């Protein structure tokens, strides 16, 4: 079919017949606006095409310096190295991973800040750097707006754990234990995720507890298994193998939803009336000022590698489930958690 409007000379062939059928209803102030509608569609198509071309223009290249806040061998280090491997295998880029530990990423970010904004200068940080970190260490003067999120690597929930030799098998058992014994919990430094969730939990439960801090969750688990601490918090990814072997007993998950590991249903912290729901998220950032084209291009490169057999094999070996949250969604999540952390900070 082919139609021509005598008023505006708008032509509609069979492919645009749906527009022609709208024609009687699109007059505005006595003027047919079919031409305007058609022009708008044309502009939108061109914008989408230009955006697609822009993303395709950037391909990861050169040498990437990726700083990671965790020690070698930890989950954050492993997932960072998997992403770096993808850049090397898929694009031939050189990706160097440097372990600059301390303050949830503040040390890594400080080193990155010594360089001009560049897509090749990156840091992997913990969400705590921008949530509880600024409250605990305002002198660091680290502001979220000074950085751009490139890609999320892993999102996890924390579990409250005790040793199989502790004689504690449930949250109520720990509450009863605390009535007669001092409670020492193993955690990372104040401001870190495992310290925040345990401080909030014991505060809400009116349990007096003291922190035994270390440099990472692996050391925290060893402290619990050796009897130096009665409990600790660790991510599901890290704790699963210990739960499956029976060495650690999970008491609750710091989430609004229960979870199941090794056929054991683990109750949520909210089921006991507490609200210490702060997740663990590790992600890649660069300095603000890097072009959106480069950020989107690197994000797409990292995410696309997750569809390869090489990635799936490495992820399975590490018990790693990647987080595909977009940079924009992650910024919103961090803003939300920052408000929760501020409440915890002001309270405890």
């Amino acid at each position: 079919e082919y139609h021509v409007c005598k008023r505006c000379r708008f032509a509609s062939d069979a492919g645009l017949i749906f527009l022609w059928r709208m024609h009687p209803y699109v007059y505005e102030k006595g003027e047919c606006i079919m031409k305007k509608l058609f022009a708008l569609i044309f502009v939108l198509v061109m914008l989408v095409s230009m955006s697609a071309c822009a993303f395709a223009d950037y391909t990861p290249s050169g040498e990437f310096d990726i700083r990671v806040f965790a020690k070698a061998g930890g989950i954050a280090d492993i997932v960072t190295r998997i992403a770096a491997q993808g850049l090397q295998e898929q694009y031939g880029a050189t990706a160097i991973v440097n372990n600059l530990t301390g303050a949830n990423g503040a040390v890594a970010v400080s080193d990155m800040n010594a360089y001009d904004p560049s897509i090749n200068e990156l840091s992997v940080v913990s969400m705590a750097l921008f949530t509880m970190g600024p409250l605990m260490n305002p002198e660091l003067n680290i502001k979220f707006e000074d950085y751009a999120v490139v890609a999320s690597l892993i999102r996890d929930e924390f579990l409250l754990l005790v040793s199989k030799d502790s004689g504690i098998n449930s949250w109520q058992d720990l509450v009863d234990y605390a009535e007669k014994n001092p409670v020492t919990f193993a955690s990372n430094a104040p401001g870190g995720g495992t310290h925040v969730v345990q401080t909030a939990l014991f505060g809400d439960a009116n349990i007096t507890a003291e922190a035994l801090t270390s440099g990472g969750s692996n050391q925290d688990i060893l402290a619990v298994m050796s009897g130096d601490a009665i409990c600790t918090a660790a991510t599901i990814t890290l704790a699963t193998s210990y739960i499956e072997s029976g060495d650690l007993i999970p008491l609750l998950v710091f989430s609004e939803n229960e979870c199941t590991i090794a056929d054991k249903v683990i109750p949520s912290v909210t089921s006991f009336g507490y609200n210490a729901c702060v997740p663990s998220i590790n992600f890649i950032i660069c300095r603000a000022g890097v072009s959106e084209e480069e950020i989107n291009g690197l994000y797409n490169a990292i995410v696309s590698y997750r569809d390869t057999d090489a990635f799936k094999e490495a992820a399975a070996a590490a018990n790693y489930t990647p987080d595909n949250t977009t940079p924009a969604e992650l910024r919103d999540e961090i803003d939300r958690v920052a408000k929760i952390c501020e409440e915890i900070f002001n309270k405890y």
Side-chain angles (χ1 to χ4, degrees):
E1 295 180 73
Y2 190 81
H3 304 279
V4 177
C5 173
K6 294 180 179 179
R7 174 172 266 168
C8 71
R9 308 305 298 171
F10 171 78
S12 175
D13 59 18
L16 295 174
I17 191 64
F18 73 97
L19 292 177
W20 176 259
R21 287 170 179 163
M22 291 171 56
H23 189 261
Y25 309 101
V26 291
Y27 285 89
E28 185 180 69
K29 296 181 180 180
E31 178 185 357
C32 177
I33 63 169
M34 288 304 288
K35 272 187 173 179
K36 295 180 181 178
L37 179 60
F38 188 73
L40 176 60
I41 293 173
F42 177 78
V43 169
L44 291 174
V45 169
M46 290 299 295
L47 287 174
V48 170
S49 299
M50 290 171 64
S51 298
C53 291
F55 293 157
D57 282 345
Y58 174 77
T59 300
S61 61
E63 181 176 296
F64 287 87
D65 189 352
I66 309 176
R67 306 151 183 84
V68 58
F69 74 97
K71 292 183 178 180
I75 292 297
D77 173 69
I78 291 172
V79 301
T80 300
R81 293 182 186 278
I82 291 175
Q85 178 182 337
L87 292 175
Q88 293 174 336
E89 291 184 356
Q90 296 290 96
Y91 301 98
T94 301
I96 300 172
V97 177
N98 293 314
N99 298 89
L100 300 179
T101 62
N104 301 300
V107 175
V109 164
S110 178
D111 183 79
M112 182 177 69
N113 287 346
Y115 297 83
D116 292 334
S118 168
I119 196 63
N120 295 87
E121 300 291 341
L122 304 168
S123 291
V124 174
V125 300
S126 164
M127 181 177 63
L129 178 66
F130 299 114
T131 53
M132 186 61 81
L135 300 171
M136 298 293 298
N137 302 291
E139 69 279 1
L140 294 178
N141 196 31
I142 293 177
K143 301 177 181 178
F144 195 24
E145 58 265 29
D146 292 336
Y147 304 94
V149 176
V150 176
S152 181
L153 293 180
I154 184 170
R155 178 196 174 105
D156 222 333
E157 310 295 340
F158 291 113
L159 298 171
L160 184 67
L161 305 157
V162 295
S163 168
K164 65 178 182 180
D165 301 320
S166 65
I168 297 172
N169 293 287
S170 67
W171 167 247
Q172 187 58 51
D173 286 348
L174 182 56
V175 172
D176 295 340
Y177 173 91
E179 291 180 354
K180 302 176 183 179
N181 305 277
V183 172
T184 299
F185 64 89
S187 76
N188 49 18
T194 61
H195 188 273
V196 169
V197 293
Q198 291 181 97
T199 297
L201 172 64
F202 291 125
D204 287 346
N206 294 316
I207 293 176
T208 301
E210 181 180 355
L212 174 65
T213 60
S214 74
S217 291
N218 285 316
Q219 294 178 2
D220 295 339
I221 288 175
L222 290 176
V224 167
M225 295 177 67
S226 66
D228 292 332
I230 193 63
C231 63
T232 190
T235 61
I236 291 175
T237 299
L238 177 61
T240 293
S241 62
Y242 293 95
I243 296 171
E244 291 175 339
S245 68
D247 291 319
L248 292 178
I249 298 173
L251 304 185
L252 55 80
V253 57
F254 291 93
S255 171
E256 294 181 354
N257 303 306
E258 65 183 26
C259 67
T260 302
I261 300 175
D263 297 325
K264 180 179 179 62
V265 178
I266 305 169
S268 69
V269 69
T270 56
S271 68
F272 298 104
Y274 309 124
N275 191 35
C277 298
V278 177
S280 169
I281 305 178
N282 299 329
F283 54 99
I284 304 174
I285 62 172
C286 64
R287 293 188 62 187
V290 176
S291 72
E292 287 295 320
E293 176 186 336
E294 291 177 309
I295 293 173
N296 289 327
L298 185 55
Y299 167 79
N300 290 333
I302 292 171
V303 172
S304 64
Y305 177 62
R306 296 172 180 174
D307 292 327
T308 66
D309 292 337
F311 173 86
K312 293 175 182 178
E313 182 179 347
N319 190 34
Y320 165 41
T321 301
D323 180 29
N324 291 323
T325 302
T326 67
E329 292 170 337
L330 183 53
R331 293 195 77 92
D332 290 341
E333 175 78 351
I334 291 172
D335 288 339
R336 182 188 69 81
V337 174
K339 294 177 182 178
I340 295 175
C341 288
E342 186 174 10
E343 293 176 4
I344 294 172
F345 177 80
N346 291 334
K347 197 172 182 179
Y348 301 114

